[in-house]
Amino acid sequence: MLYHVTMDVKIPQDLPAAERADILAREKAYSQDLQRQGKWRHIWRVAGHYANVSIFDVRDNAELHEILSALPLFPFMEIKVTPMLRHPSAIREDDS
């Protein structure tokens, strides 16, 4: 199942630099692993914001929730999820 997910990141300014660096490194490794697995299909940065727009391809709501809540930056995120399904007028068969 495909999901359109927006993530706005709001890291506290007073978070110690070492802790911030550790969280960001773990976030990058985790997200890249999910991309390699095909679960995090697309990720785009939102210009001018510490935010991204992503497409996830996972089994169901429960798997998406498990993935998102395991993000190291999760405590500092505002997340909006929109389930998606194939449009009947779509011509590409490889993007369902």
Side-chain angles (χ1 to χ4, degrees):
M1 186 165 187
L2 296 177
Y3 295 88
H4 173 273
V5 180
T6 58
M7 299 178 221
D8 291 307
V9 183
K10 297 176 181 3
I11 299 175
Q13 296 294 326
D14 60 348
L15 191 68
E19 188 176 343
R20 178 186 175 103
D22 176 64
I23 290 170
L24 293 176
R26 289 185 293 118
E27 180 83 10
K28 183 175 183 176
Y30 181 58
S31 69
Q32 288 180 344
D33 182 51
L34 290 166
Q35 289 173 68
R36 283 186 205 90
Q37 292 177 48
K39 293 176 187 251
W40 198 326
R41 292 225 342 225
H42 301 282
I43 182 170
W44 295 276
R45 178 161 297 216
V46 178
H49 298 274
Y50 193 173
N52 73 71
V53 173
S54 296
I55 303 296
F56 285 83
D57 187 359
V58 295
R59 181 181 58 254
D60 55 25
N61 294 341
E63 183 179 16
L64 181 65
H65 179 76
E66 181 180 310
I67 287 170
L68 295 177
S69 61
L71 288 166
L73 283 171
F74 181 77
F76 311 115
M77 289 182 169
E78 248 179 56
I79 298 174
K80 180 180 176 192
V81 175
T82 305
M84 297 171 37
L85 62 140
R86 186 170 175 75
H87 193 282
S89 297
I91 62 170
R92 290 187 55 186
E93 295 297 324
D94 64 341
D95 208 19
S96 57

